Amino acid sequence: LREMGVDGVFPVGTFTGEMVEFIHSALSSDAEHWDARLETMDPAERDGLILQKLQGQVRYAWERSGFYREFWRDAPVDPAHIQSLEEFARLPILTKEEVRVEQEAYPPYGRFLCVAQNDIHRIHGTSGTTGRPTVFGISKGDWERIGEAHARILWAAGVRPTDTVMVAAVFSLYVGSWGALVGAERLGATCFPFGAGAPGQTERAVEWAQMVRPAALYATPSYALYLAETAREMGVDPRTDFGFRLMFFSGEPGASVPATRQAIEDAFGCYVVDQGSMAEMTPWMTNGGCRRLARGMHLWQDIVYTQLVDPETSEPVVMGGEGVPVYTHLERESQPMIRYWSGDIARWEMADCPCGRTYPTLTQGIYGRADDMLIIRGQNVFPSRVEDVLRGLDEFGGEFRLVVARERGYLDQLTVQTEVSAGLWASAGEGGPEGLEALRDRVRDTLRRALGVGVSVELRPEGEFERTQFKARRVIDLR
Ligand code: 8LQ
């Protein structure tokens, strides 16, 4: 293309079939970027590109979606003529609850759909274990763009066409597994859609991974740890008997929790990449780290535009600050989410990553949720911070729970129940946990220093708490 004097940014879909094959075969395996021009663009120039895409996306939704027509009726700016990113930030924020209410009133998609029902190519959604499920209708064009975006981001993670990618997450409504699969397919890797969740499936995963020896694994971080534990119980060494080079994760904090990341890297002898925004925001990999980033996720702003806002006031947060990511699709024709509230807590910075990408970065990943954040006697406590401390201890037995209770009607008390490694528990003998008093006190003091608030600690034997094949739920709030 360069020889022909062709240069520039082309709308998705310009190149099809054999041309795409040709372009990707020309992309050498050691290239750092899938699309160097877009990924290393001057941020100010990128803002211009984002604004152009936003104007198109917002106008499109305004013209076609009954929901946005109503939702923006009294907006302080004209959705058909957004002039700047600042103006765009004055459109109202959309919450999950509003999506639920809309979908209940106009089932199943709500009036979000901007294409004919007949043009829906895939239906995904949330499992709906709490409240009404949310439904996502995805058109064929969108599904292809999702594949392209995920391929580009998996390339940054270090996946190459010569790799086999094992997807060890449930294949159902959950779009995590499918999103990983479609990206790996688009990239040209060998795909191994193993799944998860069926009885005995983790033992089978141990057998299959030894046999197939995939280079990459997609799962949740807690499932990777469970897989390592299961392997060891079966006499299999996850480091030498599997041969994973990298693992990419989404769905929950872990990959950017230093001690958890280290535990996974040590267990498998691989490196870890953190990914994941929200299912509604698919391509959800647009929060996505790269193989050079020690921790955190780049924000692939030209695919999904992310802004951080203050959790209380919803005002924009400057670079370097902490806030709630609010996401906007830039390439969605079927069910675009515009200024969608995540409820998560993260910090963003213009980190200088050796990969050369010029995107802002969530330098510590997503480490909490505005609604999961425990306020204990005025102190903000994130479960991911407790996890970091516990996984840093040699005596840790693999799982933990946080129990919050209110004493005497006003005093919040946090109890950390943590498993202790089987060997240590057994060596404490018949006396059980009483023999471990010194350890309990040390864990309590370490937690108090890390969290800035006093906690009680209860020690439990390894294996006491249920392991998960999906996202872990570790907080029990009794208040
Ligand atoms: N969440 C998702 N990814 C996370 C991460 N890397 N670090 C911390 N928290 C994370 C389909 C993808 O797996 C994304 C996904 O899990 O979508 P869901 O099921 O809609 O859940 C979204 C929530 O998972 C986010 O709001 C984060 O709280 C968490």
Side-chain angles (χ1 to χ4, degrees):
L1 286 172
R2 235 177 265 128
E3 276 168 19
M4 290 161 63
V6 178
D7 191 14
V9 181
F10 301 92
V12 172
T14 307
F15 304 116
T16 51
E18 280 176 20
M19 268 201 98
V20 172
E21 300 288 314
F22 169 77
I23 293 167
H24 287 153
S25 66
L27 198 66
S28 116
S29 264
D30 49 332
E32 183 72 42
H33 310 100
W34 178 271
D35 193 326
R37 187 177 136 75
L38 287 178
E39 295 168 34
T40 63
M41 190 179 263
D42 174 61
E45 192 188 342
R46 181 179 295 122
D47 279 352
L49 179 75
I50 292 169
L51 178 61
Q52 241 179 30
K53 285 181 141 190
L54 265 179
Q55 288 166 328
Q57 183 78 74
V58 173
R59 193 182 316 116
Y60 175 88
W62 174 247
E63 283 166 0
R64 293 177 182 239
S65 150
F67 172 81
Y68 286 114
R69 275 258 153 205
E70 207 172 289
F71 192 56
W72 293 336
R73 200 175 33 210
D74 303 321
V77 294
D78 175 5
H81 301 96
I82 297 287
Q83 306 289 344
S84 64
L85 295 180
E86 292 70 32
E87 243 194 61
F88 169 71
R90 295 174 62 202
L91 284 177
I93 287 174
L94 174 65
T95 64
K96 207 185 231 333
E97 189 48 30
E98 281 161 327
V99 174
R100 278 205 198 105
V101 168
E102 169 71 11
Q103 294 196 331
E104 199 159 358
Y106 300 89
Y109 305 102
R111 294 164 299 163
F112 291 106
L113 224 50
C114 298
V115 296
Q117 285 231 6
N118 194 30
D119 290 330
I120 296 297
H121 172 64
R122 300 193 64 126
I123 299 168
H124 283 278
T126 58
S127 54
T129 42
T130 54
R132 193 181 186 281
T134 311
V135 188
F136 327 131
I138 307 175
S139 71
K140 185 135 201 334
D142 281 342
W143 194 248
E144 273 161 21
R145 280 181 286 274
I146 288 164
E148 172 72 16
H150 280 189
R152 196 174 138 196
I153 297 162
L154 284 178
W155 185 276
V159 179
R160 293 295 176 268
T162 44
D163 290 331
T164 297
V165 178
M166 178 170 183
V167 180
V170 68
F171 280 91
S172 65
L173 279 177
Y174 180 59
V175 78
S177 42
W178 296 102
L181 184 69
V182 70
E185 275 176 352
R186 181 73 185 77
L187 185 139
T190 304
C191 295
F192 182 37
F194 187 81
Q201 197 163 0
T202 307
E203 286 78 5
R204 284 212 298 284
V206 171
E207 290 158 7
W208 274 87
Q210 285 182 89
M211 195 160 67
V212 173
R213 294 187 71 86
L217 179 87
Y218 167 75
T220 56
S222 33
Y223 189 56
L225 287 168
Y226 179 45
L227 181 66
E229 211 174 275
T230 307
R232 285 194 210 98
E233 277 165 16
M234 293 167 67
V236 171
D237 182 350
R239 213 182 160 86
T240 52
D241 297 338
F242 290 149
F244 286 111
R245 189 178 80 249
L246 76 138
M247 297 191 171
F248 54 103
F249 296 120
S250 75
E252 59 179 10
S256 292
V257 173
T260 305
R261 184 185 184 96
Q262 191 70 51
I264 296 171
E265 292 185 339
D266 289 349
F268 292 97
C270 65
Y271 69 88
V272 162
V273 177
D274 193 7
Q275 299 177 333
S277 57
M278 304 171 80
E280 289 88 328
M281 292 315 304
T282 306
W284 51 259
M285 280 188 197
T286 59
N287 290 356
C290 72
R291 59 179 165 162
R292 316 239 176 247
L293 194 63
R295 179 188 180 196
M297 304 186 268
H298 298 310
L299 295 172
W300 297 66
Q301 296 285 54
D302 50 338
I303 310 173
V304 165
Y305 179 55
T306 302
Q307 295 171 302
L308 253 63
V309 306
D310 184 281
E312 305 294 332
T313 64
S314 295
E315 287 301 314
V317 167
V318 294
M319 227 24 97
E322 181 186 77
V324 174
V326 169
Y327 301 113
T328 299
H329 277 129
L330 294 180
E331 307 184 336
R332 233 340 158 81
E333 65 181 14
S334 40
Q335 192 176 318
M337 293 285 112
I338 296 173
R339 301 210 80 219
Y340 193 54
W341 173 262
S342 66
D344 292 317
I345 302 283
R347 183 176 293 283
W348 68 347
E349 283 169 71
M350 284 310 295
D352 204 5
C353 185
C355 72
R357 289 182 183 81
T358 49
Y359 296 122
T361 301
L362 301 181
T363 41
Q364 300 164 41
I366 292 169
Y367 46 82
R369 286 193 53 79
D371 53 10
D372 252 20
M373 187 181 73
L374 301 169
I375 303 179
I376 307 292
R377 299 193 289 280
Q379 194 72 26
N380 297 350
V381 174
F382 291 109
S384 63
R385 187 76 190 99
V386 176
E387 172 165 359
D388 192 24
V389 169
L390 294 179
R391 289 204 196 282
L393 302 173
D394 290 338
E395 299 87 351
F396 183 53
E399 260 306 333
F400 67 97
R401 295 291 182 267
L402 303 183
V403 183
V404 194
R406 184 158 286 163
E407 284 172 12
R408 280 176 272 152
Y410 66 92
L411 194 64
D412 290 338
Q413 180 63 36
L414 173 63
T415 304
V416 177
Q417 302 175 330
T418 176
E419 289 182 1
V420 175
S421 66
L424 199 69
W425 188 269
S427 70
E430 291 291 293
E434 271 65 46
L436 297 165
E437 245 168 62
L439 172 64
R440 190 196 58 206
D441 292 351
R442 183 155 53 79
V443 176
R444 187 195 58 211
D445 293 346
T446 312
L447 282 169
R448 176 180 295 157
R449 269 195 307 276
L451 304 175
V453 66
V455 301
S456 315
V457 169
E458 291 174 9
L459 303 183
R460 298 292 170 85
E462 183 173 338
E464 163 128 346
F465 297 122
E466 195 189 342
R467 268 51 175 170
T468 178
Q469 300 199 38
F470 192 46
K471 306 185 189 196
R473 289 190 191 281
R474 299 191 167 111
V475 179
I476 302 155
D477 201 331
L478 304 174
R479 288 174 294 184

